[in-house]
Amino acid sequence: MADSVKQNTLLSWLVDPLQSTRETAERAYRFTGDRRSWLVPFLLGAALLVISALGGWQRPDDFFFAYLVGWTFLLTTALGGLLFLIFHHLTRASWSIVVHRINEGLIWAFPLLLLLGVPLLFGMHDLYHWTHADLYDPSSSHYDEILAGKRAYLNIPFWGARLVLYFAAWTIVSYRLYTLSVRQDVDPDPDIPAKLRSTSAWGLPLTGVTLAFASYDILMSTDPHWFSTIFGVYFFSGGILSAVSVIALVALLLQKTGGLLRGVITKEHYQDLGKYMFGFTVFWAYIAFSQYMLYWYGGIPEETVWFQHRLQNGWQWHSAALVLFHFVVPFLVLLPRAPKRTSVVLSVMAVWLIGMHWFDLHWVTIPVLRESGGFHWLDFTCWLGLTGIFAGALMYRLRRHSLIPQNHPYLGESLHFENT
Amino acid sequence: MVSRHTEKKAPLAWYIAFAASLSGALLLLALLAYVVWNGIGVWGNNQPVGWGWPIVNFVFWVGIGHAGTLISAILFLFRQHWRTAINRAAEAMTLFAVVCALIWPTFHVGRVWVIYWTLPIPNQMEMWPQFKSPLLWDVFAVSSYFIVSLVFWYVGLVPDLATLRDRAENFWRKRILGFFSLGWTGANRHWRNYEKAYLLLAGLATPLVLSVHSVVSFDFAVSVLPGWHTTIFPPYFVAGAIFSGFAMVVTLMVITREVYGLKNVITIDHLEKMNIIILVTGTIVGFAYITEFFMAWYSGVEYEQYAFINRAFGPYAWAYWIMMTCNLITPQLFWSKKLRRSIPVMFVLSIFVNIGMWFERFVITITSLHRDFLPSSWGYFEPTWVDIGTLVGSFGLFFTLFLLFLRFVPMVAMAEVKGIMPQADPHHYDGGDGRAAGNGHAEGDGEPYIRPAKVASLEQPDTDEGEA
C-alpha cells in the first residue's frame, strides 16, 4: 500500500479499509452531501432491525427466515457487483469507468456482511433441518437415511468453515479491487490497471466457484433433500441483476440530489446499464425456466417436490407473480431504447428489479417455513433494516473517495462514450 | 489484400486440400446412401445405446457452429472491435457446421423418407407432431438457426460483394457479383439501414444461439436417465459449444492466415483473445463437471451416484479421462501469456479441445445409456466402420464447403475492418480524443501510432452533454 493512502483503524475497517482520500478528488467528482446521506439510511435500518429483533422474540423462526432472506439479498447483490466489476476489468471495457466507483463501493461488503450474518448462527436449528441430531440416530423415529448419507458435507463445523473460507476469498478479491482503484486516485501508478486485471483473472474462477458452493450451503440446504445442479447459476443471475440495478439507482440518486456527476454519467451510460438490466432479466428467466422445465418434464418425485411446494397452497400466486413481474414486465419495459435513456423510468425499473430480486429469494426460501403463501411483517422489516445498514455503509464509502476513478487511463474514453 | 485471394488463381495447396475434402464428402454421401438402403443397423447402436455416434456428431457439429454466431452477434453487441477480422470466416464456419450437423438428425432415423412428418403441415391424416418432444424443438431450433445465420452472413456480405463487383474485370464475374450484391452503392441511406438491420439481427441471433444449444441439451436433460437428467445442462452445453467452436476457429484461422498471408489482419492479438475465451469457457465447462459430480454424490440417489462412478471407473473410463484431460487441463495452459501467444501451442491445444469436446458428448450420451436402472439391460457400444466413415465424411463435407468459401468469398469483412481502422475515426486527424489519435501517417515516422494515455484528471468533464 502506498504511503499516500493509509489503513483505517480496525473498527471502521469493516466499513471502509482506507482513510478518506476525498481531498484529492476533482471538484466535479467530489461528494457534496453531508453526513445525513449515510446516517439516515443507517439509523432507519438500525431502528427497523431493533423492531425486528423484538418481533423475533415472539416468532423466532419467522425472524430467522426473514433475516436469512434479507441477508442473502445483500450477499448476492454484493457478489453480483463483484463479478460485474471483474468482467469489466477483464474485457478492458471503457464505457463503464464512470460507474466503477459506485460498483467498488458496493463490493466492499463482505466483512460487514459476515458480521451481520452472526445472528443467523443462533437460528441454525430453525433454518437448517440437517442440524437436528436425531436425524442421524438409527434408533430414532426421525432417522433419515438420505440426510445421514450427506452428513459428511452437511454438518455444522464444516459448514461454518466453508462459509469463513468463502468470505475470506471474497474479501481478498474485493479488497484488492477496491483499494488498488482508490489508490490510483492519489498515486497514478502505471502498473495499477494491470494489477486490477490480474486480480480479476484469478478472482473470477475463485469467486465463481465459491459463489456456487455458497448457494448450496446457504439456500439449497434449507431444503436438504432437494438438489439442483443449476442452483449456483440461478443464485448468480439474480444477484448480478440486482447489482446492476443498484449501480444505476445510486448513480441516478447522486445526480438527482445535488447534481453530482452531472454530465459525467450521461444518458449513454444509462442506456448501457439499462441494456445490462434487460440482458440479465432475460438471463435470469432463462436459468429459472430451465430449472423449472427440466424438473417438471422429468417428474422425478424427489426433485419435483420443491416446485410442488411452490405451486400450491397459495404459493402459486407468488410463482405467477415471479413470471410476470420478474420477467415479462421488465422485459417489455426495458426492450425499447427510450426507457433506458429516461431517468425516471430507469430509476423505477431499478427499484422494481431490486425488489423483485428480494421477492425471488423470498420465494426460494420461505416455503420451507410456511406451507401456505403470504408475507409476515418481519419479512419486510428484516430486509429493509439490513438494507438500510448496508446502504448507509455504501454511502459512507462513496463520501470518502472520489466518485470516479479519476486517474484511470480510459476515463477520457468513458466520458466521451456514445452508443453506436 | 482480401479481394485478391478471390481473384487470383488458387494456390496448389488449395487444390490438394479440396481434393482430399471432396473425397471425404463423397465418402459421406456414399455411406449415407448405404445406411438408408440397408437400415440403420449398420451403425453400432444397440438396444440400451439407441443413440450412438450420430447424436454425438450432431451435438458436436452444432457446438462448433456456435462460435461463429458468438463472434458475429454477441461480440458485436459488446462492441468488441477485434471481432471484425474474424467474423466472416467464423460465420461461414457456423453455416457449414450446421449443414454438417443437420445430416445426423435426418439420417439417424429409421425411415428418412417420412421425416417431413416432423413438420406441422396440415395433412389428410390430421396428424401433427408432438410439441412436447425436444427432438421436435431441435427441428425448429436448428432450422431457424441456419436461416438466421445465413441471412446474417449474407447481409454482412453485401457491401463486400459490391467491392468485388467493382473490382471485377471479367464480364460474367461482374454480372454474378452484381446480382448477389443487390445493387449496393454504399450510399449514406444504405449504410444507415444496413447498420440498423445488422444490429437487430445481432440482437435476435444472440438469444437464438443460446436457445439452440439449450434445446439440444434438453434432448438429454428432459429424460429421466441418471447422467442426463441434470438442470445445469442448458448453460453448460452453451459454454461447451462456445469452447469447442472457438477452438475450431483458432485451428482454421491459424492455417488460413498462414496460407493466405493475412497476418496483418488476423493478428496474434486476435488469436490471443480467442484463446482467452477458450480458457474462460473451458473453466466453466470444467466447473460444470465438478458440479455434476458433487451433486450426484449430494443427491443421495444411488443411480445418480453410480452413473458417475461408472463414468470415471467403468468400461468407458478411458473416454472419460480423455475428456477430462482435454477439456479441464489443457485449456488451463492458456493462463500463461507465452503459451497463448504461441502459434504451435494454440494450434495443438485447439485440436485437443475439439477431441475433448467430441468425447464429452460421447461420454454423456453413451456412458449414461449403456448402464442405467436395470442391470439386465446393460450393454456395451462399439462403433462400426460405418460410424467412423460417416464421421470422417462429415469433416470432408465441412472442409469442402469451407474451402469453396475461401476461394470465392472475401474471407475478411472488408467493410467492417475499414470501419475500425484508425483513419476511420472522425477525430483521427485532429487528434481529438486523446487515445486514438495519430498524425495520419503510418507507424514509424516518429509519432507514436497510439499515443499513451494522458492522465485523465487533467481533462474537464463535458458539461454540455446533458443530464440523464
Side-chain angles (χ1 to χ4, degrees), chain A residues 20 22 30-31 33-38 394-403:
Chain A
S20 173
R22 73 189 303 249
R30 196 175 290 174
F31 193 99
D34 54 21
R35 65 172 59 181
R36 278 177 301 180
S37 58
W38 64 270
L394 172 64
M395 294 315 283
Y396 179 77
R397 283 190 291 280
L398 287 178
R399 286 176 81 230
R400 289 161 57 85
H401 307 289
S402 165
L403 288 170

Side-chain angles (χ1 to χ4, degrees), chain A residues 150 272 286 297 303 413, chain B residues 79 132 214 229-230 298 435:
Chain A
K150 302 184 186 192
D272 261 19
Y286 161 61
Y297 204 117
E303 301 166 351
E413 244 178 281
Chain B
R79 294 187 281 263
K132 280 188 191 167
S214 300
H229 184 67
T230 314
Y298 179 86
R435 240 185 119 243

Side-chain angles (χ1 to χ4, degrees), chain B residues 35-36 39-40 43 54 103-115 118:
Chain B
V35 169
V36 172
I40 54 166
W43 275 325
I103 291 169
W104 307 104
T106 313
F107 284 93
H108 86 133
V109 297
R111 296 181 182 83
V112 65
W113 47 91
V114 291
I115 200 148
T118 58

Side-chain angles (χ1 to χ4, degrees), chain B residues 207-220:
Chain B
L208 187 67
V209 70
L210 300 183
S211 68
V212 167
H213 218 68
S214 300
V215 166
V216 170
S217 83
F218 290 160
D219 294 349
F220 303 94

Side-chain angles (χ1 to χ4, degrees), chain A residues 26 150 201 212 216 220 227-230 263 270 272 275-276 286 293-294 297-298 303 343 407 413 416-417 419, chain B residues 78-79 132 134 214 218 224 229-232 234-235 287 291 295 297-299 335 435 457 459 462 465 468:
Chain A
E26 293 275 316
K150 302 184 186 192
Y216 312 146
M220 206 163 86
F227 52 90
S228 168
T229 42
I230 210 174
Y270 287 121
D272 261 19
K275 283 185 217 167
Y276 274 100
Y286 161 61
M293 197 277 285
L294 292 174
Y297 204 117
E303 301 166 351
S343 53
N407 287 332
E413 244 178 281
H416 296 114
F417 167 70
N419 278 288
Chain B
F78 283 113
R79 294 187 281 263
K132 280 188 191 167
S214 300
F218 290 160
V224 294
H229 184 67
T230 314
T231 45
I232 206 172
F287 183 56
T291 304
M295 261 328 148
W297 174 82
Y298 179 86
S299 71
W335 280 100
R435 240 185 119 243
S457 61
E459 254 180 61
D462 280 1
E465 270 190 50

Side-chain angles (χ1 to χ4, degrees), chain B residues 31-97:
Chain B
L31 284 178
L32 289 177
Y34 178 78
V35 169
V36 172
W37 187 255
N38 289 291
I40 54 166
V42 297
W43 275 325
N45 304 9
N46 51 31
Q47 204 36 264
V49 187
W51 278 3
W53 281 28
I55 293 289
V56 175
N57 299 338
F58 165 65
V59 184
F60 174 75
W61 278 116
V62 177
I64 294 291
H66 277 45
T69 322
L70 184 101
I71 290 169
S72 54
I74 298 182
L75 296 182
F76 181 77
L77 294 183
F78 283 113
R79 294 187 281 263
Q80 296 287 319
H81 290 316
W82 61 275
R83 70 179 261 292
T84 52
I86 46 170
N87 74 332
R88 175 67 44 72
E91 284 170 50
M93 197 194 75
T94 298
L95 289 174
F96 308 144

